[in-house]
Amino acid sequence: MAELTESLADFEAALAAVDTSAAIGVVDDLLVAGVAPVTVLTGVIAAAQRNVGARWQRGDWTVAEEHAATAVAAAATEAVARHARLTPITRGKALVACAEREWHALPAMIIDCALRADGWDTTLLGASTPPLRLGQYLQDLGPDALAVSCSMLGALPTTRRFIEASTTAGIPIVVGGAAFGPDDLRARALGAAAWAPDAPSAVEAARALPAVVPAVAPLPDAAVAEQAALELSHRELVASLLADWQVDPGLEVAEDAVQQVLHAVWAGLMTGDPRVVPQTAAWIAEILRSRGEDPEKVTALGGLLRTCLRDYPLAHSLIDNSWPAFVH
Ligand code: B12
């Protein structure tokens, strides 16, 4: 849609200039022209945000620039939400949340807004909700559905705890976000009733949810125990990998890379999806390359992981089998 391409360019310019009024103006114009809220959310706000991420990943934008742009995108999403709230409520109650440790609140805001525009009576809990607090909300609000957004692999274990709490109460849960990867494999492994890759399909998935679901079956004991043990030793593992990995000591993203790779191991154990490992290795290679480091240092990181995970047999074999031999 040519109109949307032009609006996306204007919206991106507003993000770069940290011009909240201009960003809200772009989305308001589209809504007034009759473009559906969900199309504005997906085609403009989400698309622009992903480009913001690409700029940070390439090192073109600082974290401060990324934060400023995200605040503008959040204000624009709120403008779409004001419009969406005019829609009459024709469906049930939905709770929209991020798992504990998940600070990417904007994707959840977008999903909340898309569901509200489809007639759901939504309550948005925002970033990083502890499972105990979620249990309280489930009891107090008695929702018909729960929607959980998870961008970081490290928040998949707490997402699983949400799924346990929600299905124990019979409430179906739909999940999405970057941490789930490109298909429903991780979502199914964790016991979600549905997964969707974007806002329009989230709306479809929520409509198709069953009224009641059975409690999820337990995950394999050995994998759960090993993930818990890795979580307990996380700080020491991060410190040891950072001490031994020979990258420029001033490279700020080294810690993100090391955290992320350990989180990928957690995610691989919890979901049985080994693709998290090469995907994370490729992401690390990309951030190294964009900051002038040799991406081949990813190979060395794989070696260090094999050593530091030797007491964790499942994690060790996950790395052994899935760490790429070469990263291009
Ligand atoms: C903004 C941002 C932040 C902000 C978030 C602020 C906020 N209020 O949301 C802040 C600064 C807090 C942040 C922090 C971090 N971030 Co960040 N962040 C981003 C960024 C640029 C945009 C996220 C976003 O809003 N995307 C737009 C949304 C709408 O797109 P989406 O997530 O794909 O969502 C769509 C679908 O997935 C789906 N969906 C999403 N949720 C749901 C839910 C349901 C129920 C359904 C059905 C569907 C669904 O529908 C959405 C709309 O179409 C991304 C880049 C990117 N590519 O997304 C990085 C990114 C996610 N962050 C990244 C990283 C590394 C971090 C940090 C570790 C960095 C650091 N050291 O600070 C921390 C970790 C914080 C944490 N523990 O959560 C990496 C993750 C790398 C990886 N391999 O996973 C990314 C990809 C950047 C990059 N290119 O490297 N970040």
Side-chain angles (χ1 to χ4, degrees):
M1 199 194 213
E3 189 190 22
L4 220 54
T5 315
E6 221 173 273
S7 302
L8 176 60
D10 292 346
F11 190 79
E12 290 191 327
L15 292 191
V18 196
D19 187 341
T20 307
S21 311
I24 293 178
V26 172
V27 301
D28 275 346
D29 286 350
L30 287 169
L31 293 167
V32 168
V35 178
V38 73
T39 308
V40 178
L41 293 168
T42 314
V44 178
I45 302 178
Q49 267 306 105
R50 276 193 289 272
N51 289 339
V52 168
R55 284 167 161 170
W56 174 83
Q57 187 172 338
R58 289 195 303 265
D60 295 348
W61 272 16
T62 63
V63 170
E65 283 170 313
E66 182 198 294
H67 276 48
T70 303
V72 176
T77 306
E78 186 43 46
V80 184
R82 277 196 293 278
H83 184 92
R85 281 196 283 271
L86 302 174
T87 315
I89 288 171
T90 49
R91 300 184 193 279
K93 260 189 211 167
L95 210 55
V96 184
C98 296
E100 193 166 26
R101 296 197 201 97
E102 180 58 74
W103 292 100
H104 294 89
L106 187 68
M109 271 181 86
I110 289 178
I111 296 302
D112 172 74
C113 185
L115 293 180
R116 181 62 194 86
D118 193 46
W120 288 86
D121 178 8
T122 61
T123 303
L124 176 64
L125 301 184
S128 192
T129 299
L132 264 179
R133 226 177 77 212
L134 178 85
Q136 195 64 53
Y137 281 119
L138 292 177
Q139 225 171 45
D140 293 352
L141 298 173
D144 300 288
L146 176 63
V148 175
S149 178
C150 186
S151 298
M152 302 303 292
L153 294 170
L156 285 178
T158 39
T159 300
R160 165 69 188 186
R161 289 180 60 194
F162 274 22
I163 294 171
E164 287 165 358
S166 154
T167 61
T168 301
I171 302 164
I173 178 162
V174 52
V175 296
F180 286 97
D183 52 39
D184 67 353
L185 198 145
R186 289 173 212 165
R188 275 192 291 112
L190 293 181
W195 163 88
D198 54 31
S201 53
V203 168
E204 294 301 321
R207 285 184 186 184
L209 283 173
V212 182
V213 291
V216 277
L219 291 177
D221 284 345
V224 171
E226 215 174 284
Q227 188 277 328
L230 284 166
E231 201 169 328
L232 270 178
S233 306
H234 188 65
R235 274 164 189 261
E236 295 95 274
L237 291 169
V238 169
S240 130
L241 286 168
L242 278 177
D244 295 339
W245 194 26
Q246 304 212 331
V247 285
D248 177 353
L251 187 72
E252 281 176 18
V253 290
E255 185 169 345
D256 283 344
V258 163
Q259 297 261 12
Q260 186 70 10
V261 82
L262 290 168
H263 290 163
V265 172
W266 299 2
L269 293 177
M270 298 287 286
T271 64
D273 182 0
R275 292 172 302 173
V276 288
V277 171
Q279 280 162 2
T280 303
W283 174 77
I284 295 173
E286 195 46 51
I287 57 174
L288 289 180
R289 184 180 294 115
S290 62
R291 284 156 179 83
E293 283 274 352
D294 181 0
E296 255 310 299
K297 288 187 176 165
V298 169
T299 309
L301 182 59
L304 295 174
L305 279 162
R306 282 187 191 91
T307 310
C308 84
L309 295 175
R310 60 186 173 269
D311 296 335
Y312 304 88
L314 297 177
H316 189 270
S317 72
L318 179 64
I319 293 293
D320 226 23
N321 295 331
S322 311
W323 196 261
F326 299 101
V327 183
H328 302 289

